[in-house]
Amino acid sequence: MISTNRLAVALIAVAAVTGSAARPDPIDKIREADLKRDLFALAGDAMRGREGGTLDEMAASAWVAERAREAGLLPGGDNGTYFQFFPLERLRVSASSTVTIDGTPLRMGRDVVPDNTVVATVDAPVTVAPGDSLEGLTLKDRVLVVRYAPGQPATGNAPALRTWLRTIQRAAAASAPAAIVAIVPDAAADQWERVAVAFPRGTYGLDPDGTAEPRTAPAGMPLLYVRESALGGPIKSDAKVTASIAAESFTYPSVNVIGRVPGRDSRLAGEYVLFSAHQDHDGVRYTVNGDNIWNGADDNATTAVALLAIGRAMSAQPGRRSALFIWHGSEERGLMGSRWYVKHPTVPLKSIAAVLNGDMMGRNDPTTAALLGAVGPHRNSPELVQIALEANKAVSQFTVDSSWDDPNHREGWYYRSDHLPYARAGVPALFFTTLLHADYHTPFDNPDRIDTAKLTKMTRWMYATGRAVAEADKAPAVDPAFKLERCRDFTGNYCAGSGSD
């Protein structure tokens, strides 16, 4: 077990080796005013939501890199820079795809948008459903036409229109229609915007090993949304639908921002404490109550600016071990940046003593916080957990909520942030968070809703944990029995897996 005095001893040692016990504790470099200033800059509207794989993410990443330089961090990326670029693979329905209903050509992306990424050729008569019930309808090799009624309930974060269409799809699947067309009335313009915004994005992939075959869209039954006003009137019962749905794939860069503070101990400077965040969010999306910029202040500008504050403290008084700071790109696209880094590390993975990852650290009850990876089966280093809990007692005094670390928790929260690829690779890893709230992945996750006092305490907790690891004679050990009972795949579904794969 780790001594309960280990953290205090480590911090006293810092003052001793840096020249004077009277020198201010470097934790004082972590100031609420600095965090608030950086938060409002990174999560302000000018950054346009920092969507991964866009120029907005690049602009935010350049901002982070410049702030890291000002904080005293040295470049830790490729070729002497702060950057590690990687290729996102994008797959989407081509805008050149054609759809004609009863002789009326529809413009892809404006009059018609797909719900799924498939390739298909359709030339079939329609079956117009009188309502949501499909009972008694002939659907095989026909195009099922259904009309959306505004006011349908949503499920989770999915638009109500998509939830409704997927219900129709499941009900019709056994009858094998050639396609399903959902007519969207102008009265449901808000729902149209919510599904149309996904069309140019498509789906995202990553090939960190460089061994995967190029991504291609499967042949399948297209699901199409059509604006009712584009049709010029009701669809006749003897109408036909013709469609040629093609897909296109391309790559677009995303980026990890990496800085470092060299350790002062020549024996231990080749080992690293990795502080982890992600700087991307959801970008400019559909409008809700007049706002279409999804700023992602809590998710995850809070930890992104926390790393800058920790960097100022570590560069003021370096630890015995080196400190590595990574702002992972395109986390929201499926942990893309951290998955890439684990396969293409700028320092040997075995030299990373601990990964301290944060995601959403500024909301909810000011007295509580969560530390994921702290209880089994997610706990891959009991020693690192003990260090973090001691740091909390020393500097933050949060009541630690362990309920979301339960492998049966409905949110699967442990599997949804950038510590996961490191834990799976056998690196001691923890996840600091203050958990979900009603503004999660909405345009209302804005900087003025962040509890910056709580964020300051969370930042100091991460820092104190990392400082203790940086000063310890021995790095925290990995539990040899660690094995994840399940993983979270990168399309959002659960999949079988273990900590060794």
Side-chain angles (χ1 to χ4, degrees):
M1 293 293 290
I2 305 298
S3 165
T4 57
N5 294 319
R6 181 173 185 170
L7 178 69
V9 170
L11 294 178
I12 291 170
V14 174
V17 299
T18 53
S20 172
R23 185 172 179 177
D25 189 320
I27 201 169
D28 291 337
K29 294 285 185 180
I30 299 171
R31 295 185 286 261
E32 182 177 353
D34 294 339
L35 287 161
K36 186 173 183 179
R37 176 200 64 217
D38 291 344
L39 178 72
F40 273 74
L42 185 58
D45 282 355
M47 293 292 185
R48 291 171 45 84
R50 316 181 306 281
E51 181 173 357
T54 70
L55 290 175
D56 298 324
E57 183 192 36
M58 294 298 166
S61 299
W63 182 93
V64 167
E66 178 58 18
R67 301 292 84 73
R69 184 193 64 79
E70 292 175 352
L73 275 60
L74 299 178
D78 293 335
N79 303 315
T81 73
Y82 289 95
F83 304 109
Q84 181 189 51
F85 291 95
F86 58 91
L88 288 182
E89 300 176 355
R90 301 273 295 277
L91 181 66
R92 66 186 181 188
V93 169
S94 172
S96 65
S97 299
T98 61
V99 177
T100 299
I101 298 181
D102 198 17
T104 300
L106 303 175
R107 297 164 296 179
M108 181 61 67
R110 297 183 64 183
D111 302 326
V112 56
V113 293
D115 186 80
N116 54 350
T117 304
V118 298
V119 294
T121 299
V122 177
D123 186 356
V126 303
T127 293
V128 180
D132 284 353
S133 175
L134 307 182
E135 186 175 352
L137 298 179
T138 300
L139 300 180
K140 183 172 175 57
D141 298 328
R142 299 176 70 88
V143 175
L144 171 62
V145 177
V146 288
R147 186 178 187 275
Y148 177 70
Q152 297 281 347
T155 300
N157 288 327
L161 176 56
R162 174 167 293 134
T163 300
W164 167 81
L165 181 59
R166 293 302 175 87
T167 301
I168 297 291
Q169 177 193 16
R170 289 191 293 271
S175 300
I180 300 177
V181 170
I183 307 302
V184 184
D186 290 351
D190 63 323
Q191 289 297 312
W192 173 266
E193 184 184 7
R194 293 183 184 209
V195 296
V197 75
F199 165 64
R201 290 176 167 85
T203 62
Y204 298 78
L206 185 72
D207 179 20
D209 293 311
T211 58
E213 293 295 322
R215 297 176 72 221
T216 58
M221 179 185 71
L223 306 175
L224 303 171
Y225 302 104
V226 173
R227 286 194 306 115
E228 189 170 44
S229 58
L231 295 172
I235 296 178
K236 300 173 185 177
S237 60
D238 60 349
K240 288 185 65 176
V241 172
T242 60
S244 178
I245 308 297
E248 59 188 10
S249 61
F250 55 97
T251 59
Y252 198 95
S254 186
V255 65
N256 294 326
V257 181
I258 308 173
R260 61 186 177 87
V261 175
R264 67 176 192 275
D265 186 327
S266 60
R267 183 175 65 87
L268 296 177
E271 298 180 15
Y272 296 84
V273 181
L274 195 165
F275 296 93
S276 162
H278 71 88
Q279 75 273 28
D280 67 305
H281 192 57
D282 280 350
V284 179
R285 300 234 165 187
Y286 57 82
T287 303
V288 182
N289 294 341
D291 191 353
N292 69 344
I293 300 178
W294 297 41
N295 287 311
D298 198 26
D299 185 12
N300 187 26
T302 49
T303 313
V305 302
L307 262 59
L308 293 173
I310 294 170
R312 286 187 283 267
M314 295 300 291
S315 62
Q317 296 187 24
R320 297 175 67 194
R321 288 180 175 82
S322 298
L324 191 65
F325 297 81
I326 305 182
W327 292 263
H328 296 99
S330 294
E331 186 267 0
E332 300 290 0
R333 304 280 71 82
L335 311 186
M336 299 297 190
S338 52
R339 290 169 59 201
W340 182 267
Y341 187 86
V342 165
K343 294 295 185 178
H344 304 274
T346 57
V347 302
L349 278 184
K350 65 181 181 180
S351 71
I352 300 175
V355 172
L356 306 179
N357 177 61
D359 203 340
M360 300 179 64
M361 300 206 312
R363 294 288 296 267
N364 297 322
D365 186 330
T367 67
T368 66
L371 182 70
L372 276 71
V375 298
H378 301 153
R379 182 181 60 204
N380 76 338
S381 174
E383 291 183 357
L384 180 59
V385 171
Q386 187 65 24
I387 292 170
L389 294 177
E390 290 169 7
N392 177 52
K393 291 178 182 178
V395 303
S396 300
Q397 296 89 43
F398 285 115
T399 298
V400 178
D401 179 356
S402 297
S403 62
W404 288 54
D405 216 3
D406 185 333
N408 295 313
H409 195 282
R410 65 184 183 278
E411 292 290 348
W413 198 235
Y414 176 84
Y415 302 91
R416 293 166 60 179
S417 195
D418 284 316
H419 60 284
L420 181 62
Y422 295 95
R424 294 180 70 195
V427 181
L430 288 175
F431 174 18
F432 296 77
T433 180
T434 57
L435 304 172
L436 288 174
H437 47 76
D439 295 332
Y440 172 71
H441 282 239
T442 74
F444 312 121
D445 183 8
N446 292 322
D448 59 356
R449 300 193 177 191
I450 299 301
D451 181 345
T452 52
K454 182 174 186 177
L455 173 58
T456 305
K457 289 175 63 179
M458 290 293 295
T459 304
R460 290 185 169 195
W461 182 16
M462 279 187 74
Y463 161 78
T465 304
R467 174 64 74 176
V469 175
E471 300 298 337
D473 290 332
K474 183 181 177 182
V478 175
D479 183 350
F482 170 69
K483 185 176 182 179
L484 294 180
E485 81 295 345
R486 65 184 182 188
C487 69
R488 185 112 174 159
D489 77 13
F490 302 107
T491 61
N493 300 309
Y494 288 114
C495 58
S498 74
S500 60
D501 61 0

